Amino acid sequence: MKLSDFIVADAVIPELKAGTKEEAIREMVGSLCRAGQIAAEHEQTIVSAIMKREELGSTGIGRGVAVPHTKHSSVGSLIATVALSSSGLDFASLDGENVYILFLLVSPPDRPGDHLRGLETITRHLKSDDFCRFLRQSRTREAIVDLLKEVDDQAGS
Amino acid sequence: MNNSLVFRREIEVLLKDGLHMSPLSQINRLACAFSGPVSIARDEFIADAKSMLDLLQLNAVKGTMLVVEASGEQAQELVEGVARLMSGAPADGGPPGPSQHAD
């Protein structure tokens, strides 16, 4: 699986306006909605489901990264977006550090394997210090999308 | 007690949705509280169970066979706790928790 298989380029956010976890999740789901990947009528339900999931345990996994996610029957395949926060967000992460890189995933309930493969693909790249550094240095949507494409190509070669 | 004790066990993932983030977080907590090294291997890939980034790369759907290995005092108890979490039971072997489910 490649990042570009499920990350919606038009929904990528190079600098979050959000100052809190909930605002960030709302902004990212809204971006997927504006990109035409989530129907407006499901936007609030999806935000609520992701927040409920966060209450059961933060998806801040360390290294300044969080992967908020949920299942929702309105999506036909795994979709995701990436967002950056240069000032960092308090995500109640496992390591107690702020979050600067967010990958938000929404997957169909009947495709748990796709969700796991998406997480595997994201975290495999996040293990690379270079990838994390270049991602955090990206200032535009185009730069982020180009970087994702570049690591996809490297992984496929 | 023998600190060099290594305990290894092959375990099948029995969770309906596979080894997703919630059970992985619980496994990570168990591993981090353990004094010795803990690894979970899937084929050639070996995850350090004290790293969530590693654990999330296991990509283990239901039915996947994983090899869990721990070294140190009470290594067997640790591995058995991980096995219980992979089958959907609480790590301490107690009754199943509340039905609230996280992906």
Side-chain angles (χ1 to χ4, degrees), chain B residues 1 7 22 45 55 62 68 70 83 87-88 94 103:
Chain B
M1 286 290 183
F7 191 80
S22 183
F45 177 75
L55 289 175
K62 185 180 180 189
V68 182
S87 68
D103 303 319

Short mmCIF file of all heavy atoms in Angstrom, two decimals, chain B residues 1 7 22 45 55 62 68 70 83 87-88 94 103:
data_model
loop_
_atom_site.label_atom_id
_atom_site.label_comp_id
_atom_site.label_asym_id
_atom_site.label_seq_id
_atom_site.Cartn_x
_atom_site.Cartn_y
_atom_site.Cartn_z
N MET B 1 16.17 -15.89 41.20
CA MET B 1 15.60 -15.57 39.88
C MET B 1 16.71 -15.47 38.84
O MET B 1 17.80 -15.00 39.14
CB MET B 1 14.85 -14.23 39.94
CG MET B 1 13.52 -14.32 40.66
SD MET B 1 12.32 -15.27 39.70
CE MET B 1 10.88 -15.11 40.72
N PHE B 7 11.85 -16.08 27.28
CA PHE B 7 10.64 -16.85 27.02
C PHE B 7 10.08 -16.42 25.68
O PHE B 7 9.94 -15.23 25.39
CB PHE B 7 9.61 -16.65 28.14
CG PHE B 7 8.46 -17.61 28.04
CD1 PHE B 7 8.58 -18.92 28.51
CD2 PHE B 7 7.27 -17.23 27.45
CE1 PHE B 7 7.53 -19.82 28.40
CE2 PHE B 7 6.20 -18.12 27.34
CZ PHE B 7 6.33 -19.42 27.82
N SER B 22 -5.77 -0.03 19.86
CA SER B 22 -6.13 -0.15 21.26
C SER B 22 -5.41 -1.33 21.96
O SER B 22 -4.74 -1.13 22.98
CB SER B 22 -7.64 -0.26 21.40
OG SER B 22 -8.00 -0.31 22.74
N PHE B 45 10.06 -9.18 10.08
CA PHE B 45 9.98 -7.90 10.80
C PHE B 45 9.90 -8.13 12.31
O PHE B 45 9.06 -8.90 12.79
CB PHE B 45 8.75 -7.10 10.33
CG PHE B 45 8.58 -5.81 11.07
CD1 PHE B 45 9.42 -4.73 10.81
CD2 PHE B 45 7.61 -5.68 12.06
CE1 PHE B 45 9.28 -3.54 11.52
CE2 PHE B 45 7.46 -4.50 12.77
CZ PHE B 45 8.30 -3.42 12.49
N LEU B 55 5.23 -1.26 16.83
CA LEU B 55 4.07 -2.17 16.95
C LEU B 55 3.05 -1.93 15.84
O LEU B 55 2.46 -2.87 15.33
CB LEU B 55 3.41 -1.98 18.33
CG LEU B 55 4.20 -2.51 19.54
CD1 LEU B 55 3.46 -2.14 20.83
CD2 LEU B 55 4.40 -4.02 19.45
N LYS B 62 -6.64 -10.66 11.93
CA LYS B 62 -7.04 -11.89 12.64
C LYS B 62 -6.44 -13.10 11.92
O LYS B 62 -6.52 -13.20 10.69
CB LYS B 62 -8.57 -11.99 12.66
CG LYS B 62 -9.06 -13.17 13.47
CD LYS B 62 -10.57 -13.25 13.46
CE LYS B 62 -10.99 -14.46 14.30
NZ LYS B 62 -12.41 -14.74 14.18
N VAL B 68 6.23 -13.76 20.11
CA VAL B 68 6.49 -12.81 21.19
C VAL B 68 7.63 -13.34 22.03
O VAL B 68 7.64 -14.52 22.41
CB VAL B 68 5.23 -12.61 22.06
CG1 VAL B 68 5.49 -11.58 23.15
CG2 VAL B 68 4.05 -12.19 21.21
N ALA B 70 10.35 -12.32 25.35
CA ALA B 70 10.75 -11.41 26.43
C ALA B 70 11.92 -12.03 27.16
O ALA B 70 12.05 -13.27 27.23
CB ALA B 70 9.58 -11.19 27.38
N ALA B 83 -0.26 -12.55 25.15
CA ALA B 83 -1.09 -13.53 24.46
C ALA B 83 -2.57 -13.30 24.77
O ALA B 83 -3.43 -13.39 23.89
CB ALA B 83 -0.68 -14.95 24.86
N SER B 87 -5.84 -12.16 22.28
CA SER B 87 -7.06 -12.95 22.12
C SER B 87 -8.28 -12.18 22.59
O SER B 87 -9.40 -12.70 22.58
CB SER B 87 -6.94 -14.27 22.89
OG SER B 87 -6.92 -13.99 24.27
N GLY B 88 -8.06 -10.92 23.01
CA GLY B 88 -9.18 -10.08 23.41
C GLY B 88 -9.50 -10.13 24.88
O GLY B 88 -10.47 -9.51 25.32
N GLY B 94 -8.12 -11.64 34.13
CA GLY B 94 -9.39 -11.44 34.82
C GLY B 94 -10.56 -11.51 33.85
O GLY B 94 -10.37 -11.81 32.67
N ASP B 103 -10.91 1.30 18.37
CA ASP B 103 -10.24 0.71 17.21
C ASP B 103 -8.74 0.74 17.37
O ASP B 103 -8.21 1.61 17.98
CB ASP B 103 -10.61 1.50 15.95
CG ASP B 103 -12.11 1.52 15.77
OD1 ASP B 103 -12.73 0.50 15.99
OD2 ASP B 103 -12.62 2.59 15.41
#
